[in-house]
Amino acid sequence: MTPVLVDSNVLLDVATRDPQWEAWSAGALQRAADEAVLVINPIIYAEVSIGFDRVEDLEQALPVDLYRRDALPFEAAFLAGKCFLAYRRRKGSRTSTLPDLYYAE
């Protein structure tokens, strides 16, 4: 099965029961789970953790049998840096490397 890196916003929409986005995000997550291996990485884990008081609750929300946990290889960090440089040259306003530029596989 093809891996799909799950965006932290989708996970937070479902975990926090966001009134505007929960239904859409839950549906997208279910469709992805039906067709692919769901993947998270350390950045996604950290971003989702803000919605939880305890690591045990986060672990329950992101069970290892449903979400494969991939490391971020140094090659991905290098490419993320290059993407960020291109973003800044196009007048992007953020001042640090965007987490969404990392991809592990």
Side-chain angles (χ1 to χ4, degrees), residues 8-9 12 16 44-54 58:
S8 58
N9 291 315
L12 284 169
T16 63
I44 294 165
Y45 190 89
E47 289 176 340
V48 173
S49 75
I50 65 167
F52 296 86
D53 292 329
R54 300 175 338 120
L58 177 59

Side-chain angles (χ1 to χ4, degrees), residues 11-94:
L11 295 169
L12 284 169
D13 290 344
V14 175
T16 63
R17 304 187 65 112
D18 183 275
Q20 182 176 356
W21 291 103
E22 179 188 15
W24 184 91
S25 292
L29 196 55
Q30 183 60 55
R31 287 188 300 280
D34 290 343
E35 301 173 7
V37 175
L38 302 178
V39 178
I40 61 172
N41 64 32
I43 293 173
I44 294 165
Y45 190 89
E47 289 176 340
V48 173
S49 75
I50 65 167
F52 296 86
D53 292 329
R54 300 175 338 120
V55 68
E56 294 83 3
D57 297 332
L58 177 59
E59 287 292 318
Q60 186 175 356
L62 300 174
V64 295
D65 59 332
L66 183 57
Y67 296 95
R68 188 176 86 191
R69 292 152 190 239
D70 285 358
L72 293 170
F74 283 90
E75 294 84 0
F78 178 83
L79 292 174
K82 296 302 178 195
C83 290
F84 181 71
L85 180 60
Y87 164 82
R88 291 291 291 160
R89 286 181 175 160
R90 290 188 315 271
K91 306 293 185 214
S93 61
R94 301 219 183 200

